[in-house]
Amino acid sequence: MTEPWRPDEDGQRRGASGPVRVRVPAKVNLHLGVGPLRRDGFHELNTVYHAISIFDELTARRGDTLSLTMEGEGTGELALDDTNLVLRAAHALAGYAGVMPHARLHLRKQIPLAGGLAGGSADAAATLVACDALWGTGLTREELATVAADLGSDVPFLLHGGTALGTGRGETVSPVLARPTSWYWVVAIADGGLSTPEAYREIDRLRDNGAAGPPLGSTDALLAALRQRDPRVLAAALGNDLQDAALAMRPALADTLKAGQAAGALGGLVSGSGPTCVFLAADAADADRIAAEIEAAQVCRQARVAYGPVHGARILY
Ligand code: C5P
C-alpha cells in the first residue's frame, strides 16, 4: 500500500498556517467522441480537453469544522451542503489521507453552473490542491488524480490543465504535446444550465432512433490539426457528439451557433453537454469583435473572450 501522506523530516505533518488560494480553469472539449454506454452507467469517451482562461478561485483556511461559503456565479442556487463537490472533495481527501476534514473554504465562481464547462469538477480539483497544502497531506500527482477520478470524470483533467487526451470515461488523461500556441475563444454563456446525465441519455435515445449524426470516433484529425497551429485548420476539426443532444434539449442553441458563424467565427460548437457554445477566433482582436456581435444578437446571457491552453488547479499563494 502506498503511504497516504508524506511526513516531513521530523515525521510531522506540516500544513500551511495562512490561507491557501487556488485558481482553477474551465474546460472545453475540442473533440468529444461518445462511445457506447458501459455497464457501469458511463459512456466510453475519446476526448480532447482544453483548459481556458475563465477561472474559479477556492481559498482554504484553518478551521475547527468543515464549512463552505461562496460568491459569484450560482450564489443562492448552488447547494452548500454535503452534495456540493467542494465538500465531497474535502471529505474524499481527508478520508484518503487519514486526517480530519477541518477547513473554512470560500469559493469565488466565474464558471457558470451546469454550463458544459466542468465548473463543479474544477471546484473539486481546486479543493484537492488547496486542502492538500493546508493539511500538509503531500499527496503525489498520481494520488491526487486517483482521488479526483472518484469525484467525477473531468476532475483529473482539471488538476492537469493544458490540452490533453481523455479516455476511459474521461478520467484517464495524457498530455497533448504540441509547441506552445494560444487559441482565442468566444464563450457564449446561456441562461440556465443543462444536465449532463440527461444529455448522455438523450444522445443514446437519438442514436437508437437513428436521429443522431455519425459518431466522431478517433481524435487523430483533431490532434493533427492542433499540431498545424493554424486556427482555420483547428476550426474545421472541432466536434462534439453531445451537440445533437444539447440542440434537441435546447433548440434555441441553434440560433447561438448561427450568430457565431454570422459574426465570422472560424468554427463553433456546443461545449461538453452544453448549453455554453464556444467559437474559435483568428486572434484576440477578432475574438473581441465576435463577442460584441454575439452579445448584440441577444442569443446568450453573456459572451466572454478567453484563451487557452492554461494551467490546471494551481496555488496562487
Ligand atoms: O463523471 P461525472 O460525475 O461528471 O458524470 C456525470 C454523469 O454524466 C454520469 O453520472 C453519467 O450519467 C454521465 N457520464 C457518462 N459517461 C461519461 C461521463 C459522464 O454517461 N464518460
Side-chain angles (χ1 to χ4, degrees), residues 32 34-38 40-45 49 85 88 121 149-155 167-171 195-201 204 242 273:
L32 179 49
V34 179
L37 177 63
R38 310 189 317 195
D40 63 3
F42 289 90
H43 292 73
E44 197 64 24
L45 299 188
Y49 290 115
L85 268 168
R88 286 175 49 204
S121 302
D150 282 343
L151 292 163
S153 308
D154 295 336
V155 184
T167 52
R169 61 180 166 87
E171 87 286 19
S195 149
T196 300
E198 277 175 33
Y200 278 101
R201 275 196 293 275
D204 288 341
L242 287 181
S273 53

PDB file of all heavy atoms in Angstrom, residues 32 34-38 40-45 49 85 88 121 149-155 167-171 195-201 204 242 273, ligand 1:
ATOM      1  N   LEU A  32     -15.237  15.694 -28.664  1.00  0.00           N
ATOM      2  CA  LEU A  32     -15.893  14.858 -27.645  1.00  0.00           C
ATOM      3  C   LEU A  32     -16.586  13.712 -28.363  1.00  0.00           C
ATOM      4  O   LEU A  32     -17.701  13.848 -28.874  1.00  0.00           O
ATOM      5  CB  LEU A  32     -16.878  15.691 -26.820  1.00  0.00           C
ATOM      6  CG  LEU A  32     -17.673  14.955 -25.728  1.00  0.00           C
ATOM      7  CD1 LEU A  32     -16.778  14.102 -24.848  1.00  0.00           C
ATOM      8  CD2 LEU A  32     -18.446  15.937 -24.874  1.00  0.00           C
ATOM      9  N   VAL A  34     -18.301  10.282 -28.165  1.00  0.00           N
ATOM     10  CA  VAL A  34     -19.027   9.477 -27.176  1.00  0.00           C
ATOM     11  C   VAL A  34     -19.244   8.085 -27.745  1.00  0.00           C
ATOM     12  O   VAL A  34     -19.890   7.930 -28.789  1.00  0.00           O
ATOM     13  CB  VAL A  34     -20.379  10.126 -26.825  1.00  0.00           C
ATOM     14  CG1 VAL A  34     -21.151   9.266 -25.822  1.00  0.00           C
ATOM     15  CG2 VAL A  34     -20.168  11.534 -26.265  1.00  0.00           C
ATOM     16  N   GLY A  35     -18.699   7.092 -27.072  1.00  0.00           N
ATOM     17  CA  GLY A  35     -18.855   5.700 -27.490  1.00  0.00           C
ATOM     18  C   GLY A  35     -20.054   5.071 -26.800  1.00  0.00           C
ATOM     19  O   GLY A  35     -20.937   5.768 -26.296  1.00  0.00           O
ATOM     20  N   PRO A  36     -20.076   3.748 -26.744  1.00  0.00           N
ATOM     21  CA  PRO A  36     -21.228   3.043 -26.182  1.00  0.00           C
ATOM     22  C   PRO A  36     -21.366   3.230 -24.670  1.00  0.00           C
ATOM     23  O   PRO A  36     -20.386   3.521 -23.976  1.00  0.00           O
ATOM     24  CB  PRO A  36     -20.948   1.577 -26.515  1.00  0.00           C
ATOM     25  CG  PRO A  36     -19.557   1.502 -26.994  1.00  0.00           C
ATOM     26  CD  PRO A  36     -19.050   2.859 -27.301  1.00  0.00           C
ATOM     27  N   LEU A  37     -22.606   3.044 -24.205  1.00  0.00           N
ATOM     28  CA  LEU A  37     -22.897   3.054 -22.768  1.00  0.00           C
ATOM     29  C   LEU A  37     -22.284   1.799 -22.145  1.00  0.00           C
ATOM     30  O   LEU A  37     -22.486   0.688 -22.634  1.00  0.00           O
ATOM     31  CB  LEU A  37     -24.425   3.062 -22.571  1.00  0.00           C
ATOM     32  CG  LEU A  37     -24.944   3.008 -21.150  1.00  0.00           C
ATOM     33  CD1 LEU A  37     -24.515   4.243 -20.353  1.00  0.00           C
ATOM     34  CD2 LEU A  37     -26.475   2.902 -21.141  1.00  0.00           C
ATOM     35  N   ARG A  38     -21.529   1.981 -21.056  1.00  0.00           N
ATOM     36  CA  ARG A  38     -20.882   0.845 -20.401  1.00  0.00           C
ATOM     37  C   ARG A  38     -21.801   0.275 -19.319  1.00  0.00           C
ATOM     38  O   ARG A  38     -22.788   0.890 -18.942  1.00  0.00           O
ATOM     39  CB  ARG A  38     -19.555   1.288 -19.762  1.00  0.00           C
ATOM     40  CG  ARG A  38     -18.658   2.054 -20.706  1.00  0.00           C
ATOM     41  CD  ARG A  38     -17.271   2.320 -20.185  1.00  0.00           C
ATOM     42  NE  ARG A  38     -17.174   2.750 -18.795  1.00  0.00           N
ATOM     43  CZ  ARG A  38     -16.082   3.289 -18.263  1.00  0.00           C
ATOM     44  NH1 ARG A  38     -15.000   3.470 -19.009  1.00  0.00           N
ATOM     45  NH2 ARG A  38     -16.055   3.625 -16.991  1.00  0.00           N
ATOM     46  N   ASP A  40     -21.271   0.187 -16.254  1.00  0.00           N
ATOM     47  CA  ASP A  40     -21.247   0.990 -15.023  1.00  0.00           C
ATOM     48  C   ASP A  40     -22.045   2.293 -15.160  1.00  0.00           C
ATOM     49  O   ASP A  40     -22.009   3.143 -14.272  1.00  0.00           O
ATOM     50  CB  ASP A  40     -19.801   1.292 -14.592  1.00  0.00           C
ATOM     51  CG  ASP A  40     -19.032   2.124 -15.615  1.00  0.00           C
ATOM     52  OD1 ASP A  40     -19.615   2.526 -16.646  1.00  0.00           O
ATOM     53  OD2 ASP A  40     -17.832   2.382 -15.390  1.00  0.00           O
ATOM     54  N   GLY A  41     -22.747   2.481 -16.301  1.00  0.00           N
ATOM     55  CA  GLY A  41     -23.586   3.673 -16.459  1.00  0.00           C
ATOM     56  C   GLY A  41     -22.868   4.841 -17.111  1.00  0.00           C
ATOM     57  O   GLY A  41     -23.487   5.878 -17.372  1.00  0.00           O
ATOM     58  N   PHE A  42     -21.556   4.699 -17.366  1.00  0.00           N
ATOM     59  CA  PHE A  42     -20.800   5.753 -18.051  1.00  0.00           C
ATOM     60  C   PHE A  42     -20.607   5.369 -19.509  1.00  0.00           C
ATOM     61  O   PHE A  42     -20.701   4.199 -19.882  1.00  0.00           O
ATOM     62  CB  PHE A  42     -19.427   5.943 -17.398  1.00  0.00           C
ATOM     63  CG  PHE A  42     -19.501   6.575 -16.037  1.00  0.00           C
ATOM     64  CD1 PHE A  42     -19.622   5.782 -14.900  1.00  0.00           C
ATOM     65  CD2 PHE A  42     -19.462   7.947 -15.883  1.00  0.00           C
ATOM     66  CE1 PHE A  42     -19.696   6.365 -13.637  1.00  0.00           C
ATOM     67  CE2 PHE A  42     -19.538   8.534 -14.635  1.00  0.00           C
ATOM     68  CZ  PHE A  42     -19.657   7.748 -13.513  1.00  0.00           C
ATOM     69  N   HIS A  43     -20.310   6.371 -20.333  1.00  0.00           N
ATOM     70  CA  HIS A  43     -20.011   6.129 -21.744  1.00  0.00           C
ATOM     71  C   HIS A  43     -18.498   6.137 -21.944  1.00  0.00           C
ATOM     72  O   HIS A  43     -17.785   6.916 -21.304  1.00  0.00           O
ATOM     73  CB  HIS A  43     -20.646   7.207 -22.624  1.00  0.00           C
ATOM     74  CG  HIS A  43     -22.135   7.148 -22.646  1.00  0.00           C
ATOM     75  ND1 HIS A  43     -22.910   7.538 -21.580  1.00  0.00           N
ATOM     76  CD2 HIS A  43     -23.000   6.716 -23.603  1.00  0.00           C
ATOM     77  CE1 HIS A  43     -24.183   7.358 -21.874  1.00  0.00           C
ATOM     78  NE2 HIS A  43     -24.269   6.857 -23.094  1.00  0.00           N
ATOM     79  N   GLU A  44     -18.053   5.296 -22.864  1.00  0.00           N
ATOM     80  CA  GLU A  44     -16.643   5.292 -23.224  1.00  0.00           C
ATOM     81  C   GLU A  44     -16.381   6.567 -24.039  1.00  0.00           C
ATOM     82  O   GLU A  44     -17.140   6.878 -24.965  1.00  0.00           O
ATOM     83  CB  GLU A  44     -16.392   4.031 -24.073  1.00  0.00           C
ATOM     84  CG  GLU A  44     -14.975   3.619 -24.213  1.00  0.00           C
ATOM     85  CD  GLU A  44     -14.313   3.205 -22.905  1.00  0.00           C
ATOM     86  OE1 GLU A  44     -14.997   2.798 -21.947  1.00  0.00           O
ATOM     87  OE2 GLU A  44     -13.077   3.334 -22.854  1.00  0.00           O
ATOM     88  N   LEU A  45     -15.345   7.304 -23.688  1.00  0.00           N
ATOM     89  CA  LEU A  45     -15.071   8.582 -24.369  1.00  0.00           C
ATOM     90  C   LEU A  45     -13.721   8.568 -25.064  1.00  0.00           C
ATOM     91  O   LEU A  45     -12.782   7.916 -24.628  1.00  0.00           O
ATOM     92  CB  LEU A  45     -15.048   9.744 -23.370  1.00  0.00           C
ATOM     93  CG  LEU A  45     -16.302  10.068 -22.569  1.00  0.00           C
ATOM     94  CD1 LEU A  45     -16.092  11.370 -21.791  1.00  0.00           C
ATOM     95  CD2 LEU A  45     -17.521  10.188 -23.465  1.00  0.00           C
ATOM     96  N   TYR A  49      -9.459  17.477 -24.163  1.00  0.00           N
ATOM     97  CA  TYR A  49      -9.797  18.547 -23.225  1.00  0.00           C
ATOM     98  C   TYR A  49      -8.889  19.749 -23.490  1.00  0.00           C
ATOM     99  O   TYR A  49      -7.712  19.595 -23.857  1.00  0.00           O
ATOM    100  CB  TYR A  49      -9.484  18.098 -21.800  1.00  0.00           C
ATOM    101  CG  TYR A  49     -10.336  17.036 -21.183  1.00  0.00           C
ATOM    102  CD1 TYR A  49      -9.788  15.793 -20.856  1.00  0.00           C
ATOM    103  CD2 TYR A  49     -11.660  17.272 -20.836  1.00  0.00           C
ATOM    104  CE1 TYR A  49     -10.536  14.819 -20.209  1.00  0.00           C
ATOM    105  CE2 TYR A  49     -12.414  16.296 -20.183  1.00  0.00           C
ATOM    106  CZ  TYR A  49     -11.846  15.087 -19.880  1.00  0.00           C
ATOM    107  OH  TYR A  49     -12.581  14.134 -19.222  1.00  0.00           O
ATOM    108  N   LEU A  85     -19.676  19.508  -4.617  1.00  0.00           N
ATOM    109  CA  LEU A  85     -18.428  18.811  -4.979  1.00  0.00           C
ATOM    110  C   LEU A  85     -17.218  19.318  -4.198  1.00  0.00           C
ATOM    111  O   LEU A  85     -16.258  18.574  -3.995  1.00  0.00           O
ATOM    112  CB  LEU A  85     -18.176  18.945  -6.487  1.00  0.00           C
ATOM    113  CG  LEU A  85     -18.733  17.812  -7.343  1.00  0.00           C
ATOM    114  CD1 LEU A  85     -18.694  18.188  -8.817  1.00  0.00           C
ATOM    115  CD2 LEU A  85     -17.931  16.519  -7.121  1.00  0.00           C
ATOM    116  N   ARG A  88     -17.489  17.416  -0.966  1.00  0.00           N
ATOM    117  CA  ARG A  88     -17.204  15.998  -1.245  1.00  0.00           C
ATOM    118  C   ARG A  88     -15.710  15.787  -1.467  1.00  0.00           C
ATOM    119  O   ARG A  88     -15.129  14.784  -1.033  1.00  0.00           O
ATOM    120  CB  ARG A  88     -18.023  15.520  -2.446  1.00  0.00           C
ATOM    121  CG  ARG A  88     -19.497  15.328  -2.074  1.00  0.00           C
ATOM    122  CD  ARG A  88     -20.352  14.970  -3.267  1.00  0.00           C
ATOM    123  NE  ARG A  88     -19.779  13.884  -4.033  1.00  0.00           N
ATOM    124  CZ  ARG A  88     -20.039  13.659  -5.324  1.00  0.00           C
ATOM    125  NH1 ARG A  88     -20.884  14.443  -5.972  1.00  0.00           N
ATOM    126  NH2 ARG A  88     -19.495  12.650  -5.937  1.00  0.00           N
ATOM    127  N   SER A 121     -16.501  20.242 -11.433  1.00  0.00           N
ATOM    128  CA  SER A 121     -15.280  19.421 -11.418  1.00  0.00           C
ATOM    129  C   SER A 121     -14.067  20.294 -11.137  1.00  0.00           C
ATOM    130  O   SER A 121     -13.135  19.882 -10.423  1.00  0.00           O
ATOM    131  CB  SER A 121     -15.088  18.736 -12.777  1.00  0.00           C
ATOM    132  OG  SER A 121     -16.196  17.938 -13.076  1.00  0.00           O
ATOM    133  N   ALA A 149     -10.494  11.142  -9.681  1.00  0.00           N
ATOM    134  CA  ALA A 149     -11.297  10.315 -10.594  1.00  0.00           C
ATOM    135  C   ALA A 149     -12.560   9.797  -9.916  1.00  0.00           C
ATOM    136  O   ALA A 149     -13.601   9.655 -10.550  1.00  0.00           O
ATOM    137  CB  ALA A 149     -10.456   9.150 -11.121  1.00  0.00           C
ATOM    138  N   ASP A 150     -12.487   9.549  -8.597  1.00  0.00           N
ATOM    139  CA  ASP A 150     -13.675   9.087  -7.870  1.00  0.00           C
ATOM    140  C   ASP A 150     -14.719  10.187  -7.747  1.00  0.00           C
ATOM    141  O   ASP A 150     -15.893   9.912  -7.517  1.00  0.00           O
ATOM    142  CB  ASP A 150     -13.300   8.628  -6.453  1.00  0.00           C
ATOM    143  CG  ASP A 150     -12.671   7.251  -6.471  1.00  0.00           C
ATOM    144  OD1 ASP A 150     -12.834   6.549  -7.492  1.00  0.00           O
ATOM    145  OD2 ASP A 150     -12.020   6.892  -5.476  1.00  0.00           O
ATOM    146  N   LEU A 151     -14.285  11.447  -7.850  1.00  0.00           N
ATOM    147  CA  LEU A 151     -15.213  12.572  -7.671  1.00  0.00           C
ATOM    148  C   LEU A 151     -15.948  12.922  -8.963  1.00  0.00           C
ATOM    149  O   LEU A 151     -17.035  13.501  -8.917  1.00  0.00           O
ATOM    150  CB  LEU A 151     -14.442  13.804  -7.164  1.00  0.00           C
ATOM    151  CG  LEU A 151     -13.898  13.665  -5.742  1.00  0.00           C
ATOM    152  CD1 LEU A 151     -12.827  14.714  -5.467  1.00  0.00           C
ATOM    153  CD2 LEU A 151     -15.043  13.805  -4.734  1.00  0.00           C
ATOM    154  N   GLY A 152     -15.376  12.616 -10.112  1.00  0.00           N
ATOM    155  CA  GLY A 152     -16.027  12.916 -11.388  1.00  0.00           C
ATOM    156  C   GLY A 152     -15.063  12.689 -12.539  1.00  0.00           C
ATOM    157  O   GLY A 152     -13.845  12.814 -12.366  1.00  0.00           O
ATOM    158  N   SER A 153     -15.623  12.395 -13.711  1.00  0.00           N
ATOM    159  CA  SER A 153     -14.795  12.014 -14.857  1.00  0.00           C
ATOM    160  C   SER A 153     -13.855  13.134 -15.304  1.00  0.00           C
ATOM    161  O   SER A 153     -12.775  12.870 -15.839  1.00  0.00           O
ATOM    162  CB  SER A 153     -15.695  11.628 -16.035  1.00  0.00           C
ATOM    163  OG  SER A 153     -16.645  10.675 -15.621  1.00  0.00           O
ATOM    164  N   ASP A 154     -14.263  14.410 -15.131  1.00  0.00           N
ATOM    165  CA  ASP A 154     -13.450  15.538 -15.618  1.00  0.00           C
ATOM    166  C   ASP A 154     -12.450  16.041 -14.575  1.00  0.00           C
ATOM    167  O   ASP A 154     -11.622  16.894 -14.890  1.00  0.00           O
ATOM    168  CB  ASP A 154     -14.351  16.745 -15.947  1.00  0.00           C
ATOM    169  CG  ASP A 154     -15.300  16.479 -17.097  1.00  0.00           C
ATOM    170  OD1 ASP A 154     -15.007  15.611 -17.928  1.00  0.00           O
ATOM    171  OD2 ASP A 154     -16.338  17.175 -17.153  1.00  0.00           O
ATOM    172  N   VAL A 155     -12.561  15.578 -13.328  1.00  0.00           N
ATOM    173  CA  VAL A 155     -11.762  16.187 -12.252  1.00  0.00           C
ATOM    174  C   VAL A 155     -10.244  15.973 -12.470  1.00  0.00           C
ATOM    175  O   VAL A 155      -9.468  16.918 -12.295  1.00  0.00           O
ATOM    176  CB  VAL A 155     -12.234  15.716 -10.855  1.00  0.00           C
ATOM    177  CG1 VAL A 155     -11.470  16.437  -9.756  1.00  0.00           C
ATOM    178  CG2 VAL A 155     -13.732  15.963 -10.678  1.00  0.00           C
ATOM    179  N   THR A 167      -9.465   9.505 -22.043  1.00  0.00           N
ATOM    180  CA  THR A 167     -10.036   8.220 -22.470  1.00  0.00           C
ATOM    181  C   THR A 167     -10.698   7.553 -21.265  1.00  0.00           C
ATOM    182  O   THR A 167     -10.763   8.126 -20.194  1.00  0.00           O
ATOM    183  CB  THR A 167      -8.949   7.298 -23.074  1.00  0.00           C
ATOM    184  OG1 THR A 167      -7.873   7.211 -22.143  1.00  0.00           O
ATOM    185  CG2 THR A 167      -8.433   7.828 -24.402  1.00  0.00           C
ATOM    186  N   GLY A 168     -11.175   6.315 -21.479  1.00  0.00           N
ATOM    187  CA  GLY A 168     -11.980   5.666 -20.439  1.00  0.00           C
ATOM    188  C   GLY A 168     -13.303   6.419 -20.364  1.00  0.00           C
ATOM    189  O   GLY A 168     -13.913   6.726 -21.370  1.00  0.00           O
ATOM    190  N   ARG A 169     -13.732   6.788 -19.137  1.00  0.00           N
ATOM    191  CA  ARG A 169     -14.924   7.640 -19.046  1.00  0.00           C
ATOM    192  C   ARG A 169     -14.526   9.109 -19.031  1.00  0.00           C
ATOM    193  O   ARG A 169     -15.325   9.983 -18.718  1.00  0.00           O
ATOM    194  CB  ARG A 169     -15.786   7.262 -17.835  1.00  0.00           C
ATOM    195  CG  ARG A 169     -15.098   7.410 -16.506  1.00  0.00           C
ATOM    196  CD  ARG A 169     -16.010   7.010 -15.348  1.00  0.00           C
ATOM    197  NE  ARG A 169     -15.276   6.838 -14.123  1.00  0.00           N
ATOM    198  CZ  ARG A 169     -14.999   7.830 -13.264  1.00  0.00           C
ATOM    199  NH1 ARG A 169     -15.395   9.054 -13.511  1.00  0.00           N
ATOM    200  NH2 ARG A 169     -14.315   7.573 -12.173  1.00  0.00           N
ATOM    201  N   GLY A 170     -13.255   9.391 -19.365  1.00  0.00           N
ATOM    202  CA  GLY A 170     -12.715  10.747 -19.398  1.00  0.00           C
ATOM    203  C   GLY A 170     -11.690  10.972 -18.299  1.00  0.00           C
ATOM    204  O   GLY A 170     -10.999  11.984 -18.292  1.00  0.00           O
ATOM    205  N   GLU A 171     -11.576   9.993 -17.393  1.00  0.00           N
ATOM    206  CA  GLU A 171     -10.731  10.191 -16.206  1.00  0.00           C
ATOM    207  C   GLU A 171      -9.262   9.858 -16.465  1.00  0.00           C
ATOM    208  O   GLU A 171      -8.397  10.222 -15.664  1.00  0.00           O
ATOM    209  CB  GLU A 171     -11.285   9.370 -15.024  1.00  0.00           C
ATOM    210  CG  GLU A 171     -10.813   7.920 -14.909  1.00  0.00           C
ATOM    211  CD  GLU A 171     -11.432   6.958 -15.930  1.00  0.00           C
ATOM    212  OE1 GLU A 171     -11.960   7.400 -16.964  1.00  0.00           O
ATOM    213  OE2 GLU A 171     -11.351   5.739 -15.676  1.00  0.00           O
ATOM    214  N   SER A 195     -28.490  19.409 -17.855  1.00  0.00           N
ATOM    215  CA  SER A 195     -27.996  18.306 -17.026  1.00  0.00           C
ATOM    216  C   SER A 195     -27.125  17.370 -17.861  1.00  0.00           C
ATOM    217  O   SER A 195     -27.548  16.903 -18.927  1.00  0.00           O
ATOM    218  CB  SER A 195     -29.202  17.560 -16.448  1.00  0.00           C
ATOM    219  OG  SER A 195     -28.892  16.205 -16.272  1.00  0.00           O
ATOM    220  N   THR A 196     -25.927  17.094 -17.367  1.00  0.00           N
ATOM    221  CA  THR A 196     -25.011  16.200 -18.099  1.00  0.00           C
ATOM    222  C   THR A 196     -25.589  14.786 -18.250  1.00  0.00           C
ATOM    223  O   THR A 196     -25.610  14.258 -19.368  1.00  0.00           O
ATOM    224  CB  THR A 196     -23.640  16.174 -17.408  1.00  0.00           C
ATOM    225  OG1 THR A 196     -23.130  17.506 -17.403  1.00  0.00           O
ATOM    226  CG2 THR A 196     -22.666  15.260 -18.106  1.00  0.00           C
ATOM    227  N   PRO A 197     -26.090  14.143 -17.168  1.00  0.00           N
ATOM    228  CA  PRO A 197     -26.652  12.802 -17.363  1.00  0.00           C
ATOM    229  C   PRO A 197     -27.803  12.801 -18.379  1.00  0.00           C
ATOM    230  O   PRO A 197     -27.908  11.877 -19.189  1.00  0.00           O
ATOM    231  CB  PRO A 197     -27.163  12.397 -15.977  1.00  0.00           C
ATOM    232  CG  PRO A 197     -26.582  13.347 -15.010  1.00  0.00           C
ATOM    233  CD  PRO A 197     -26.039  14.534 -15.744  1.00  0.00           C
ATOM    234  N   GLU A 198     -28.624  13.871 -18.371  1.00  0.00           N
ATOM    235  CA  GLU A 198     -29.722  13.911 -19.356  1.00  0.00           C
ATOM    236  C   GLU A 198     -29.198  14.031 -20.773  1.00  0.00           C
ATOM    237  O   GLU A 198     -29.752  13.451 -21.704  1.00  0.00           O
ATOM    238  CB  GLU A 198     -30.676  15.079 -19.048  1.00  0.00           C
ATOM    239  CG  GLU A 198     -31.692  14.716 -17.990  1.00  0.00           C
ATOM    240  CD  GLU A 198     -32.573  15.889 -17.583  1.00  0.00           C
ATOM    241  OE1 GLU A 198     -32.874  16.745 -18.448  1.00  0.00           O
ATOM    242  OE2 GLU A 198     -32.936  15.949 -16.400  1.00  0.00           O
ATOM    243  N   ALA A 199     -28.117  14.784 -20.971  1.00  0.00           N
ATOM    244  CA  ALA A 199     -27.548  14.913 -22.317  1.00  0.00           C
ATOM    245  C   ALA A 199     -27.035  13.553 -22.808  1.00  0.00           C
ATOM    246  O   ALA A 199     -27.226  13.192 -23.980  1.00  0.00           O
ATOM    247  CB  ALA A 199     -26.432  15.953 -22.324  1.00  0.00           C
ATOM    248  N   TYR A 200     -26.394  12.791 -21.918  1.00  0.00           N
ATOM    249  CA  TYR A 200     -25.933  11.449 -22.318  1.00  0.00           C
ATOM    250  C   TYR A 200     -27.114  10.530 -22.626  1.00  0.00           C
ATOM    251  O   TYR A 200     -27.065   9.748 -23.577  1.00  0.00           O
ATOM    252  CB  TYR A 200     -25.031  10.840 -21.232  1.00  0.00           C
ATOM    253  CG  TYR A 200     -23.597  11.322 -21.317  1.00  0.00           C
ATOM    254  CD1 TYR A 200     -23.118  12.306 -20.469  1.00  0.00           C
ATOM    255  CD2 TYR A 200     -22.720  10.787 -22.255  1.00  0.00           C
ATOM    256  CE1 TYR A 200     -21.802  12.751 -20.538  1.00  0.00           C
ATOM    257  CE2 TYR A 200     -21.411  11.216 -22.343  1.00  0.00           C
ATOM    258  CZ  TYR A 200     -20.954  12.198 -21.479  1.00  0.00           C
ATOM    259  OH  TYR A 200     -19.649  12.627 -21.568  1.00  0.00           O
ATOM    260  N   ARG A 201     -28.175  10.633 -21.809  1.00  0.00           N
ATOM    261  CA  ARG A 201     -29.366   9.798 -22.090  1.00  0.00           C
ATOM    262  C   ARG A 201     -29.984  10.189 -23.429  1.00  0.00           C
ATOM    263  O   ARG A 201     -30.423   9.342 -24.203  1.00  0.00           O
ATOM    264  CB  ARG A 201     -30.411   9.966 -20.972  1.00  0.00           C
ATOM    265  CG  ARG A 201     -30.153   9.046 -19.786  1.00  0.00           C
ATOM    266  CD  ARG A 201     -31.376   8.929 -18.881  1.00  0.00           C
ATOM    267  NE  ARG A 201     -31.694  10.168 -18.207  1.00  0.00           N
ATOM    268  CZ  ARG A 201     -31.145  10.561 -17.061  1.00  0.00           C
ATOM    269  NH1 ARG A 201     -30.245   9.821 -16.458  1.00  0.00           N
ATOM    270  NH2 ARG A 201     -31.492  11.705 -16.496  1.00  0.00           N
ATOM    271  N   ASP A 204     -28.097   8.763 -26.433  1.00  0.00           N
ATOM    272  CA  ASP A 204     -28.419   7.331 -26.603  1.00  0.00           C
ATOM    273  C   ASP A 204     -29.772   7.183 -27.295  1.00  0.00           C
ATOM    274  O   ASP A 204     -29.948   6.352 -28.190  1.00  0.00           O
ATOM    275  CB  ASP A 204     -28.459   6.615 -25.250  1.00  0.00           C
ATOM    276  CG  ASP A 204     -27.077   6.439 -24.649  1.00  0.00           C
ATOM    277  OD1 ASP A 204     -26.082   6.526 -25.402  1.00  0.00           O
ATOM    278  OD2 ASP A 204     -26.987   6.217 -23.424  1.00  0.00           O
ATOM    279  N   LEU A 242     -22.096  15.212 -28.316  1.00  0.00           N
ATOM    280  CA  LEU A 242     -23.236  15.593 -27.466  1.00  0.00           C
ATOM    281  C   LEU A 242     -23.988  16.810 -28.014  1.00  0.00           C
ATOM    282  O   LEU A 242     -25.013  17.202 -27.455  1.00  0.00           O
ATOM    283  CB  LEU A 242     -22.777  15.887 -26.028  1.00  0.00           C
ATOM    284  CG  LEU A 242     -22.379  14.693 -25.176  1.00  0.00           C
ATOM    285  CD1 LEU A 242     -21.980  15.160 -23.768  1.00  0.00           C
ATOM    286  CD2 LEU A 242     -23.513  13.667 -25.080  1.00  0.00           C
ATOM    287  N   SER A 273     -21.610  19.028 -22.477  1.00  0.00           N
ATOM    288  CA  SER A 273     -23.050  18.728 -22.559  1.00  0.00           C
ATOM    289  C   SER A 273     -23.882  20.004 -22.668  1.00  0.00           C
ATOM    290  O   SER A 273     -25.102  19.952 -22.601  1.00  0.00           O
ATOM    291  CB  SER A 273     -23.466  17.917 -21.331  1.00  0.00           C
ATOM    292  OG  SER A 273     -23.069  18.560 -20.141  1.00  0.00           O
TER     293      SER A 273
HETATM  294  O1  C5P B   1     -18.318  11.714 -14.008  1.00  0.00           O
HETATM  295  P1  C5P B   1     -19.402  12.681 -13.732  1.00  0.00           P
HETATM  296  O2  C5P B   1     -19.933  12.566 -12.316  1.00  0.00           O
HETATM  297  O3  C5P B   1     -19.069  14.097 -14.085  1.00  0.00           O
HETATM  298  O4  C5P B   1     -20.601  12.280 -14.687  1.00  0.00           O
HETATM  299  C1  C5P B   1     -21.904  12.784 -14.536  1.00  0.00           C
HETATM  300  C2  C5P B   1     -22.852  11.913 -15.327  1.00  0.00           C
HETATM  301  O5  C5P B   1     -22.624  12.066 -16.725  1.00  0.00           O
HETATM  302  C3  C5P B   1     -22.715  10.418 -15.066  1.00  0.00           C
HETATM  303  O6  C5P B   1     -23.478  10.024 -13.950  1.00  0.00           O
HETATM  304  C4  C5P B   1     -23.243   9.816 -16.354  1.00  0.00           C
HETATM  305  O7  C5P B   1     -24.645   9.828 -16.374  1.00  0.00           O
HETATM  306  C5  C5P B   1     -22.775  10.820 -17.403  1.00  0.00           C
HETATM  307  N1  C5P B   1     -21.490  10.422 -17.999  1.00  0.00           N
HETATM  308  C6  C5P B   1     -21.467   9.382 -18.904  1.00  0.00           C
HETATM  309  N2  C5P B   1     -20.271   8.988 -19.459  1.00  0.00           N
HETATM  310  C7  C5P B   1     -19.121   9.632 -19.140  1.00  0.00           C
HETATM  311  C8  C5P B   1     -19.127  10.710 -18.229  1.00  0.00           C
HETATM  312  C9  C5P B   1     -20.330  11.077 -17.677  1.00  0.00           C
HETATM  313  O8  C5P B   1     -22.508   8.793 -19.226  1.00  0.00           O
HETATM  314  N3  C5P B   1     -17.988   9.240 -19.697  1.00  0.00           N
END
